[in-house]
């Protein structure tokens, strides 16, 4: 049950994020905080539509991989008594939301005129997704209240309406859920006992690591890491650097297929890489089929295998799982840093895409050191210096953001920078952080140009907000008609500055930064003209235009 302390924790976390990200309102900072946890790899500024005339859509996310539409409604209060005593959403709020969603699903084009600019673009993206057959929709009601909707009958009725009208699933997040989402629980060490098969095991040790390698029955192992309700103890994967990918990759599907085919069960041992685990200590008596006592047991490689076996078990394939044997490698490590190294080097079934894993790459360490000598704080790990109050926020440089900036500026992939940032430390890594090119100056030139672009876009947003508050709709319409693209074009503008500099033979050097930025207004005008042409297409969508890199070719032709 939520408490005052929980409420206070969330309140202060929201304030922290508001200051950290220079967010104008506390309610938007709340939205940012939640979405940052739910979707760490998307551009949050694009997703958030909250504001005047948002048509009950505070944020949205079109998940291309899942073919899923997500629509968010947020409620936030700083008053504890309101949060404790009242529902976040009243009956009229829910009714109003449903009526507005009906109009969107009916493709009533008048909603575009009634909505603010970002919401109108979001609605167009929703229509496009529906046309492309995106049938799964999630409606999220999220608040920091103790109850979002307290009446259970009302919840059931709302769920029924959303399902019937929009084929949508209702997701409710309250204060209790936020605590789980924002502050991940620190689990106690897991101590378990497992039995190895026969004498198919051996022990070795070297360099302060003691290892036990053997064969184990999949069903027995699975049961040893389940609780009394037959749920996997997910905390056993706390030190696994990979997020379980469920059935999203060929390898996971193949694992499951091998389990499902009874005739292939005996081949599983030979097809699968097995399980690698670390522990503080293991003890056993060297006999036939020994029982091994493990202290602080953690699976660092093989999470996909375990979850695939568990899914099969839950789907009625218990006998199949019983017929399977796994290779198990247990490393007793006293130094957890060694354990993390084992996690890193043994994850090979699917490419590891972890910023924190790459944070210890010598390239990152050297870059941090060089930038530090110039007065900059380069965060190799996410929020590495978040607790340092002595650091000027303007002097912090985020590694992921640098990856996006280099990808758009030097590698000329602004759409990928914006929408494929999860690959910065994966497929794009070696190209972005090329040790034959990377140094402080290489990084700082586009970074400082990007900061200047951000300042201009911030002024534009403030002007839009002011005109909306003053209801000066004609001036607002004229402004958006010309510069609406600024909401989405950060990385494209950055690329344009580079292309214009090259066209004028201005060397891409830090000392020429001001000279390069003088072309900014020209860059905006070029992009504005291109977009005016694109708008002639009745299916034109501003967010969609900037999703990929196709526009780069058009820009280059305009500059010639």
């Amino acid at each position: 049950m939520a408490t005052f302390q929980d409420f206070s924790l969330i309140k202060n976390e929201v304030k922290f994020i508001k200051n950290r990200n220079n967010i104008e309102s506390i309610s938007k900072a709340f939205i940012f905080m939640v979405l940052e946890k739910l979707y760490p790899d998307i551009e949050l500024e694009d997703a958030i539509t909250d504001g005047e005339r948002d048509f009950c859509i505070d944020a949205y996310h079109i998940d291309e991989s899942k073919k899923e539409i997500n629509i968010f409604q947020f409620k936030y209060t700083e008053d504890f008594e309101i949060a404790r005593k009242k529902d976040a959403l009243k009956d009229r709020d829910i009714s109003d939301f449903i009526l507005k969603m009906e109009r969107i699903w009916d493709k009533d084009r008048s909603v575009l005129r009634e909505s603010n600019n970002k919401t109108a673009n979001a609605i167009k993206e929703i229509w496009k997704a529906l046309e492309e057959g995106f049938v799964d929709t999630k409606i999220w009601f999220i608040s920091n209240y103790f109850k979002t909707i307290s009446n259970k009958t009302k919840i059931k009725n709302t769920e029924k309406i959303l399902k019937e009208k929009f084929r949508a699933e209702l997701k409710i997040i309250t204060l209790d859920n936020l605590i789980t989402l924002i502050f991940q629980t620190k689990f106690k060490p897991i101590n378990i006992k497992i039995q190895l098969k026969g004498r198919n095991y051996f022990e070795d040790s070297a360099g302060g690591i003691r290892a036990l390698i053997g064969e184990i029955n999949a069903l027995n192992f699975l049961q040893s890491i389940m609780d009394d309700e037959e749920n996997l103890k997910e905390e056993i994967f706390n030190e696994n650097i990979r997020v379980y990918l469920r059935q999203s990759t060929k390898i996971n599907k193949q694992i499951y297929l091998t389990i499902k085919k009874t005739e292939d069960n005996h081949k599983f041992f030979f097809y699968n890489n097995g399980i690698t685990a670390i522990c503080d200590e293991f003890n056993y008596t060297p006999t036939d089929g020994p029982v091994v006592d493990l202290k602080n047991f953690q699976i660092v490689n093989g999470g996909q295998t375990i979850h695939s076996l568990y899914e099969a078990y839950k789907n009625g394939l218990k006998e199949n799982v019983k017929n399977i044997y796994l290779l198990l490698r247990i490393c007793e490590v006293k130094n957890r840093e060694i354990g993390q190294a084992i996690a890193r080097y043994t994850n090979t079934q699917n490419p590891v895409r972890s910023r924190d894993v790459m944070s210890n790459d010598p390239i990152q360490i050297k870059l941090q050191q060089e930038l530090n000598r110039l007065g900059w704080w380069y965060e190799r790990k996410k929020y590495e210096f978040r607790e340092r109050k002595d650091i000027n926020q303007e002097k912090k440089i985020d590694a992921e953001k640098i990856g996006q900036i280099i990808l758009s500026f030097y590698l000329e992939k602004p759409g990928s920078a914006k929408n494929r940032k999860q690959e910065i430390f994966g497929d794009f890594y070696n190209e972005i952080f090329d040790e034959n090119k990377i140094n402080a100056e290489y990084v700082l030139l586009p970074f400082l140009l990007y900061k200047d672009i951000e300042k201009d876009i911030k002024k534009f947003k403030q002007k839009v907000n002011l005109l909306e508050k003053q209801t000066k709709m004609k001036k607002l319409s004229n402004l958006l008609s010309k510069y609406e693209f600024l909401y989405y074009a950060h990385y494209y503008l950055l690329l344009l500055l580079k292309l214009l500099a090259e066209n004028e033979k201005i060397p891409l050097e830090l000392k020429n930064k001001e000279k390069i930025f003088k072309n900014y207004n020209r860059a905006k005008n070029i992009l504005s003209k291109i977009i005016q042409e694109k708008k002639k297409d009745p299916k034109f969508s501003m967010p969609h235009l900037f999703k990929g890199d196709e526009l780069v070719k058009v820009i280059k032709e305009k500059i010639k």
Side-chain angles (χ1 to χ4, degrees):
M1 183 67 184
T3 64
F4 173 76
Q5 184 183 34
D6 295 332
F7 182 83
S8 181
L9 278 170
I10 295 297
K11 184 176 178 179
N12 283 307
E13 183 72 7
V14 172
K15 285 181 179 178
F16 172 81
I17 285 170
K18 181 180 184 296
N19 294 331
R20 186 195 73 198
N21 295 85
N22 296 315
I23 298 172
E24 62 271 18
S25 70
I26 201 75
S27 60
K28 186 175 177 181
F30 175 61
I31 297 171
F32 195 101
M33 179 191 77
V34 177
L35 292 183
E36 187 176 46
K37 287 292 183 182
L38 291 175
Y39 303 105
D41 293 325
I42 69 171
E43 287 292 319
L44 298 180
E45 279 294 335
D46 291 354
I48 298 172
T49 52
D50 178 55
E52 297 289 331
R53 301 184 302 123
D54 60 24
F55 216 72
C56 286
I57 300 176
D58 293 330
Y60 81 108
H61 173 54
I62 309 293
D63 192 323
E64 303 281 352
S65 63
K66 294 181 180 177
K67 291 191 174 298
E68 179 183 272
I69 300 167
N70 293 272
I71 297 172
F72 299 85
Q73 174 77 182
F74 289 86
K75 292 292 180 183
Y76 179 77
T77 180
E78 292 196 286
D79 189 317
F80 173 71
E81 290 303 315
I82 290 175
R84 185 170 66 89
K85 294 178 180 178
K86 295 185 178 182
D87 281 10
L89 295 174
K90 300 179 177 66
D91 287 354
R92 66 172 179 270
D93 296 324
I94 299 168
S95 299
D96 187 38
F97 178 85
I98 291 169
L99 286 171
K100 284 184 165 65
M101 290 306 106
E102 283 181 325
R103 292 180 64 191
I104 291 172
W105 253 250
D106 289 340
K107 296 186 179 176
D108 177 356
R109 295 197 67 82
S110 65
V111 302
L112 300 178
R113 295 191 297 274
E114 295 174 33
S115 306
N116 66 43
N117 174 66
K118 290 197 76 177
T119 303
N121 281 325
I123 292 168
K124 288 177 187 176
E125 286 292 284
I126 291 168
W127 286 346
K128 190 172 185 300
L130 290 170
E131 286 173 6
E132 292 176 359
F134 286 38
V135 295
D136 293 329
T137 301
K138 284 188 172 71
I139 305 292
W140 299 75
F141 291 163
I142 301 174
S143 77
N144 69 327
Y145 288 59
F146 281 51
K147 295 286 184 182
T148 298
I149 307 170
S150 59
N151 188 303
K152 291 182 179 178
T153 303
K154 186 68 179 177
I155 293 173
K156 287 182 179 179
N157 289 341
T158 304
E159 287 175 335
K160 184 180 177 182
I161 291 169
L162 294 178
K163 188 172 183 179
E164 290 175 351
K165 290 182 180 291
F166 319 116
R167 287 185 293 189
E169 177 187 355
L170 177 62
K171 306 283 286 184
I172 295 177
I173 291 182
T174 57
L175 184 57
D176 266 332
N177 308 118
L178 286 177
I179 293 298
T180 302
L181 184 67
I182 306 303
F183 301 99
Q184 297 300 323
T185 306
K186 298 296 183 183
F187 296 100
K188 293 179 180 178
I190 301 294
N191 302 324
I192 65 169
K193 294 180 187 292
I194 59 171
Q195 185 172 22
L196 299 179
K197 179 185 176 184
R199 291 191 173 274
N200 296 347
Y201 64 89
F202 72 94
E203 182 179 334
D204 198 3
S205 61
I209 303 172
R210 181 172 166 236
L212 179 65
I213 299 171
E215 195 174 353
I216 189 166
N217 179 265
L219 180 61
N220 290 343
F221 184 66
L222 208 54
Q223 290 173 335
S224 73
I225 58 173
M226 291 194 297
D227 61 23
D228 293 338
E229 296 176 0
E230 294 195 335
N231 296 314
L232 270 184
K233 298 175 181 177
E234 290 293 344
E235 59 268 37
I236 215 160
F237 301 97
N238 280 351
E239 295 194 43
N240 190 327
I241 60 175
R242 184 196 311 288
V243 175
Y244 173 55
L245 305 178
R246 298 207 178 268
Q247 296 289 317
S248 62
T249 70
K250 289 181 180 178
I251 288 174
N252 285 336
K253 289 176 183 176
Q254 193 61 51
I255 291 172
Y256 192 88
L257 192 61
T258 308
I259 301 166
K260 192 174 180 180
K261 287 185 178 180
T262 306
E263 64 270 26
D264 284 348
N265 290 169
H266 70 282
K267 301 174 185 174
F268 196 96
F269 181 89
F270 305 99
Y271 289 169
N272 190 266
N273 286 343
I275 309 299
T276 300
I278 60 174
C279 65
D280 288 349
E281 180 183 354
F282 67 75
N283 293 291
Y284 68 101
T285 301
T287 59
D288 190 19
V291 174
V292 186
D293 189 11
L294 298 139
K295 305 295 184 187
N296 194 10
F297 182 76
Q298 285 283 304
I299 295 171
V300 296
N301 178 266
Q304 296 170 57
T305 296
I306 293 301
H307 282 83
S308 296
L309 286 163
Y310 179 67
E311 284 181 12
Y313 176 85
K314 297 293 281 187
N315 290 336
L317 297 174
K318 183 176 179 179
E319 285 303 311
N320 295 50
V321 174
K322 188 177 180 180
N323 292 332
I324 289 170
Y325 282 82
L326 301 167
L327 178 68
L328 175 64
R329 180 168 61 159
I330 305 163
C331 298
E332 181 187 277
V333 291
K334 303 301 182 184
N335 183 342
R336 232 47 183 181
E337 288 182 7
I338 296 174
Q340 290 167 10
I342 292 170
R344 174 179 175 179
Y345 289 113
T346 58
N347 273 275
T348 55
Q349 283 188 323
N350 281 303
V352 176
R353 301 292 181 248
S354 170
R355 168 184 177 159
D356 283 345
V357 167
M358 298 312 297
S359 67
N360 290 323
D361 183 0
I363 291 172
Q364 296 295 318
I365 294 170
K366 290 172 190 174
L367 185 58
Q368 185 182 58
Q369 180 74 4
E370 185 181 1
L371 284 165
N372 184 255
R373 291 294 178 261
L374 296 175
W376 295 90
W377 295 86
Y378 180 70
E379 294 186 306
R380 292 184 285 125
K381 297 181 180 181
K382 195 167 187 176
Y383 308 139
E384 185 175 354
F385 304 120
R386 68 178 290 175
E387 305 299 336
R388 292 285 300 272
K389 297 192 181 349
D390 59 321
I391 293 175
N392 181 350
Q393 295 297 308
E394 293 297 314
K395 285 290 186 178
K396 286 203 298 192
I397 302 178
D398 180 71
E400 183 180 75
K401 179 61 71 176
I402 283 298
Q404 290 176 281
I405 287 170
I406 291 174
L407 190 58
S408 57
F409 188 77
Y410 293 114
L411 304 182
E412 301 184 357
K413 294 178 180 177
S416 296
K418 183 180 178 64
N419 296 294
R420 294 172 62 190
K421 67 177 184 178
Q422 70 273 17
E423 296 176 42
I424 296 294
F425 297 95
D427 289 347
F428 291 132
Y429 183 80
N430 290 333
E431 200 176 1
I432 291 170
F433 296 101
D434 183 346
E435 62 184 344
N436 294 313
K437 296 178 181 177
I438 200 90
N439 67 5
E441 180 168 324
Y442 183 84
V443 163
L444 286 172
L445 172 62
F447 175 73
L448 293 173
L449 289 170
Y450 182 85
K451 294 274 280 185
D452 285 344
I453 292 169
E454 274 195 322
K455 287 176 187 175
D456 179 70
I457 291 174
K458 185 177 180 180
K459 288 178 184 176
F460 163 76
K461 289 178 180 178
Q462 289 172 341
K463 194 170 184 179
V464 168
N465 291 338
L466 182 61
L467 291 173
E468 282 185 337
K469 286 179 182 177
Q470 295 173 340
T471 63
K472 295 181 179 179
M473 305 315 289
K474 188 173 181 180
K475 284 187 177 181
L476 177 61
S477 178
N478 291 336
L479 179 65
L480 291 175
S481 176
K482 191 172 182 182
Y483 293 120
E484 176 189 356
F485 67 86
L486 289 177
Y487 282 113
Y488 311 97
H490 302 60
Y491 297 109
Y492 268 94
L493 288 166
L494 183 61
L495 172 61
L496 262 162
L497 288 177
K498 180 232 185 189
L499 294 174
L500 289 171
E502 288 178 334
N503 194 51
E504 295 178 6
K505 298 193 170 26
I506 302 172
L508 298 179
E509 297 173 2
L510 187 57
K511 65 182 180 183
N512 295 326
K513 182 252 173 186
E514 296 301 328
K515 193 183 294 185
I516 293 169
F517 193 74
K518 281 182 180 178
N519 276 320
Y520 180 62
N521 286 331
R522 187 183 166 198
K524 286 201 295 186
N525 289 334
I526 289 170
L527 211 45
S528 180
K529 286 176 183 177
I530 291 171
I531 286 164
Q532 296 309 317
E533 292 174 12
K534 294 282 184 184
K535 280 184 177 179
K536 293 174 184 176
D537 183 344
K539 291 188 176 181
F540 172 79
S541 164
M542 192 75 75
H544 190 74
L545 181 67
F546 292 103
K547 274 189 175 178
D549 299 309
E550 295 79 11
L551 197 59
V552 174
K553 185 178 178 182
V554 179
I555 289 171
K556 287 184 175 181
E557 288 172 355
K558 288 286 181 184
I559 292 175
K560 286 180 182 177

